[in-house]
Amino acid sequence: FDNQNGLGQSIPRFPLFLIYQQNVGMLRNAFQSAQEAFPGQIVIIDNSEDTELSRHPDFQEVAAYYHTVTLLSFPQLMNLLAALSKAWGFDYFGWMHSDGVVLRKDTSEDIGAVVQSKLQGMGSSSWGVAFTYYDILAFYNTKVVLEHPWDENYLQNYMADCDVYHRWRLAGYSTDKLAGIDKHIQLVHMGSVPEKSWAKMTPTQRQETFPSLEKKLLLVDANFWKQQHTSTRSTISQAGRYNAAFQYFEAKWGGTVSEMGCQVGDLSVKPRFEVAPSALHSSSLAPASGSHRLLRRGPGFKPAVSRLRPAKKAL
């Protein structure tokens, strides 16, 4: 759709995506913390079974809300974020885990402006991803994602992260932590949901509560990943997908997951076989593909969305 008459004019700076599949309580805290740090920039992609989230009163300030028509895998969702960002005219975008919260060091600071300044200072041709606390909150170069996409066909799980980041490094793009970001924010990876939600806490209560809920971030733990994320709308066994993905990853990069880790290795480690970028897409996920539909538009959001299948009932 036309960026001149669309979402690009209503979202300041860049979109920050949250992907939802389950646990509204965690998403509520993630959204409310992100909305305070990045006001007007939050877009929710609902990858759950129904549209219950669209009717939830705690998410009415979202810039835009999409519900996927069918289950999308993690690699498909990440490629979709880049496709939407390109359609809206953004050179980069953010993604935050739905079980993460952003704690600002200075609650009066405009974190969106801070991040934008840092990303603009990095240029547009040398970086692929800029991390904070790994990818609990991360920022992505739209062009790099589209040219070197997540592998949708062969890696149907989070091993796609390890694969794509190393491919970006081999192509000459950095995958580093955003310089100096720790001076401005602290990221918490929630292991549980507090009784009182983010919006009902004072800044002091947030600083006391959320770090106590910290869940250890496991960058690579093969057994953990094989046991998790099995409750989805997929008709194909998730265990089968995970086992196949691990076997493919290890065959491609020439070692075991536990040996390589998510860094795979230094730049001397090359894939044993090449896969053309066009073969990594299982389907086209351009905004007109029908893989998602716009259900809600935030205040002042008047995009031309004729190519998206609209919801039967607007919010």
mmCIF file of all heavy atoms in Angstrom, residues 258-274:
data_model
loop_
_atom_site.group_PDB
_atom_site.id
_atom_site.type_symbol
_atom_site.label_atom_id
_atom_site.label_comp_id
_atom_site.label_asym_id
_atom_site.label_seq_id
_atom_site.Cartn_x
_atom_site.Cartn_y
_atom_site.Cartn_z
ATOM 1 N N SER A 258 25.541 -28.066 20.051
ATOM 2 C CA SER A 258 26.214 -27.772 21.321
ATOM 3 C C SER A 258 27.657 -27.327 21.087
ATOM 4 O O SER A 258 28.200 -26.529 21.856
ATOM 5 C CB SER A 258 26.183 -28.999 22.227
ATOM 6 O OG SER A 258 26.816 -30.105 21.604
ATOM 7 N N GLU A 259 28.301 -27.822 20.031
ATOM 8 C CA GLU A 259 29.672 -27.419 19.719
ATOM 9 C C GLU A 259 29.724 -26.019 19.123
ATOM 10 O O GLU A 259 30.573 -25.203 19.479
ATOM 11 C CB GLU A 259 30.304 -28.403 18.728
ATOM 12 C CG GLU A 259 30.592 -29.775 19.298
ATOM 13 C CD GLU A 259 31.018 -30.748 18.225
ATOM 14 O OE1 GLU A 259 30.819 -30.461 17.024
ATOM 15 O OE2 GLU A 259 31.551 -31.809 18.593
ATOM 16 N N MET A 260 28.798 -25.739 18.226
ATOM 17 C CA MET A 260 28.858 -24.484 17.480
ATOM 18 C C MET A 260 28.225 -23.318 18.214
ATOM 19 O O MET A 260 28.700 -22.189 18.143
ATOM 20 C CB MET A 260 28.162 -24.658 16.118
ATOM 21 C CG MET A 260 28.911 -25.553 15.160
ATOM 22 S SD MET A 260 28.086 -25.680 13.559
ATOM 23 C CE MET A 260 26.652 -26.667 13.971
ATOM 24 N N GLY A 261 27.124 -23.580 18.906
ATOM 25 C CA GLY A 261 26.388 -22.478 19.511
ATOM 26 C C GLY A 261 25.755 -21.613 18.433
ATOM 27 O O GLY A 261 25.847 -21.884 17.240
ATOM 28 N N CYS A 262 25.112 -20.537 18.864
ATOM 29 C CA CYS A 262 24.409 -19.703 17.908
ATOM 30 C C CYS A 262 25.361 -18.818 17.111
ATOM 31 O O CYS A 262 24.969 -18.224 16.120
ATOM 32 C CB CYS A 262 23.364 -18.839 18.633
ATOM 33 S SG CYS A 262 21.893 -18.520 17.633
ATOM 34 N N GLN A 263 26.605 -18.729 17.540
ATOM 35 C CA GLN A 263 27.565 -17.951 16.759
ATOM 36 C C GLN A 263 28.121 -18.773 15.597
ATOM 37 O O GLN A 263 28.772 -18.239 14.714
ATOM 38 C CB GLN A 263 28.718 -17.489 17.649
ATOM 39 C CG GLN A 263 28.290 -16.493 18.725
ATOM 40 C CD GLN A 263 27.735 -15.217 18.147
ATOM 41 O OE1 GLN A 263 28.303 -14.647 17.226
ATOM 42 N NE2 GLN A 263 26.610 -14.764 18.676
ATOM 43 N N VAL A 264 27.861 -20.081 15.591
ATOM 44 C CA VAL A 264 28.332 -21.025 14.576
ATOM 45 C C VAL A 264 29.850 -21.119 14.586
ATOM 46 O O VAL A 264 30.431 -22.186 14.666
ATOM 47 C CB VAL A 264 27.829 -20.652 13.155
ATOM 48 C CG1 VAL A 264 28.374 -21.631 12.130
ATOM 49 C CG2 VAL A 264 26.302 -20.664 13.121
ATOM 50 N N GLY A 265 30.528 -20.005 14.494
ATOM 51 C CA GLY A 265 31.981 -19.993 14.480
ATOM 52 C C GLY A 265 32.466 -18.680 13.892
ATOM 53 O O GLY A 265 31.685 -17.772 13.638
ATOM 54 N N ASP A 266 33.790 -18.561 13.679
ATOM 55 C CA ASP A 266 34.301 -17.335 13.065
ATOM 56 C C ASP A 266 34.022 -17.372 11.565
ATOM 57 O O ASP A 266 33.387 -18.291 11.044
ATOM 58 C CB ASP A 266 35.793 -17.168 13.369
ATOM 59 C CG ASP A 266 36.629 -18.341 12.868
ATOM 60 O OD1 ASP A 266 36.262 -18.950 11.831
ATOM 61 O OD2 ASP A 266 37.644 -18.667 13.506
ATOM 62 N N LEU A 267 34.496 -16.359 10.868
ATOM 63 C CA LEU A 267 34.170 -16.233 9.446
ATOM 64 C C LEU A 267 34.832 -17.298 8.578
ATOM 65 O O LEU A 267 34.578 -17.358 7.373
ATOM 66 C CB LEU A 267 34.539 -14.831 8.949
ATOM 67 C CG LEU A 267 33.748 -13.685 9.602
ATOM 68 C CD1 LEU A 267 34.135 -12.355 8.988
ATOM 69 C CD2 LEU A 267 32.256 -13.923 9.471
ATOM 70 N N SER A 268 35.691 -18.120 9.175
ATOM 71 C CA SER A 268 36.278 -19.219 8.409
ATOM 72 C C SER A 268 35.291 -20.368 8.236
ATOM 73 O O SER A 268 35.492 -21.242 7.393
ATOM 74 C CB SER A 268 37.547 -19.733 9.097
ATOM 75 O OG SER A 268 37.229 -20.321 10.356
ATOM 76 N N VAL A 269 34.225 -20.367 9.057
ATOM 77 C CA VAL A 269 33.220 -21.432 8.969
ATOM 78 C C VAL A 269 32.247 -21.093 7.846
ATOM 79 O O VAL A 269 31.484 -20.134 7.930
ATOM 80 C CB VAL A 269 32.454 -21.593 10.291
ATOM 81 C CG1 VAL A 269 31.385 -22.674 10.163
ATOM 82 C CG2 VAL A 269 33.425 -21.923 11.418
ATOM 83 N N LYS A 270 32.284 -21.871 6.790
ATOM 84 C CA LYS A 270 31.425 -21.659 5.634
ATOM 85 C C LYS A 270 30.405 -22.795 5.551
ATOM 86 O O LYS A 270 30.655 -23.909 6.023
ATOM 87 C CB LYS A 270 32.248 -21.630 4.346
ATOM 88 C CG LYS A 270 33.345 -20.557 4.312
ATOM 89 C CD LYS A 270 32.759 -19.168 4.316
ATOM 90 C CE LYS A 270 33.803 -18.127 3.936
ATOM 91 N NZ LYS A 270 34.926 -18.041 4.882
ATOM 92 N N PRO A 271 29.254 -22.555 4.952
ATOM 93 C CA PRO A 271 28.264 -23.631 4.812
ATOM 94 C C PRO A 271 28.765 -24.723 3.876
ATOM 95 O O PRO A 271 29.489 -24.452 2.919
ATOM 96 C CB PRO A 271 27.043 -22.910 4.220
ATOM 97 C CG PRO A 271 27.605 -21.710 3.531
ATOM 98 C CD PRO A 271 28.789 -21.286 4.363
ATOM 99 N N ARG A 272 28.397 -25.942 4.179
ATOM 100 C CA ARG A 272 28.809 -27.065 3.343
ATOM 101 C C ARG A 272 28.067 -27.077 2.014
ATOM 102 O O ARG A 272 28.507 -27.704 1.063
ATOM 103 C CB ARG A 272 28.557 -28.381 4.083
ATOM 104 C CG ARG A 272 29.494 -28.609 5.250
ATOM 105 C CD ARG A 272 29.237 -29.967 5.884
ATOM 106 N NE ARG A 272 30.267 -30.323 6.849
ATOM 107 C CZ ARG A 272 30.322 -31.489 7.480
ATOM 108 N NH1 ARG A 272 29.384 -32.403 7.248
ATOM 109 N NH2 ARG A 272 31.278 -31.742 8.344
ATOM 110 N N PHE A 273 26.925 -26.406 1.990
ATOM 111 C CA PHE A 273 26.180 -26.278 0.736
ATOM 112 C C PHE A 273 25.437 -24.951 0.764
ATOM 113 O O PHE A 273 25.100 -24.429 1.821
ATOM 114 C CB PHE A 273 25.197 -27.437 0.547
ATOM 115 C CG PHE A 273 24.354 -27.738 1.755
ATOM 116 C CD1 PHE A 273 23.154 -27.080 1.993
ATOM 117 C CD2 PHE A 273 24.762 -28.708 2.672
ATOM 118 C CE1 PHE A 273 22.395 -27.367 3.111
ATOM 119 C CE2 PHE A 273 23.994 -29.003 3.792
ATOM 120 C CZ PHE A 273 22.810 -28.329 4.014
ATOM 121 N N GLU A 274 25.250 -24.357 -0.399
ATOM 122 C CA GLU A 274 24.600 -23.067 -0.515
ATOM 123 C C GLU A 274 23.122 -23.253 -0.868
ATOM 124 O O GLU A 274 22.752 -24.175 -1.597
ATOM 125 C CB GLU A 274 25.279 -22.216 -1.592
ATOM 126 C CG GLU A 274 26.732 -21.869 -1.286
ATOM 127 C CD GLU A 274 26.857 -20.832 -0.192
ATOM 128 O OE1 GLU A 274 25.825 -20.255 0.202
ATOM 129 O OE2 GLU A 274 27.996 -20.602 0.269
#
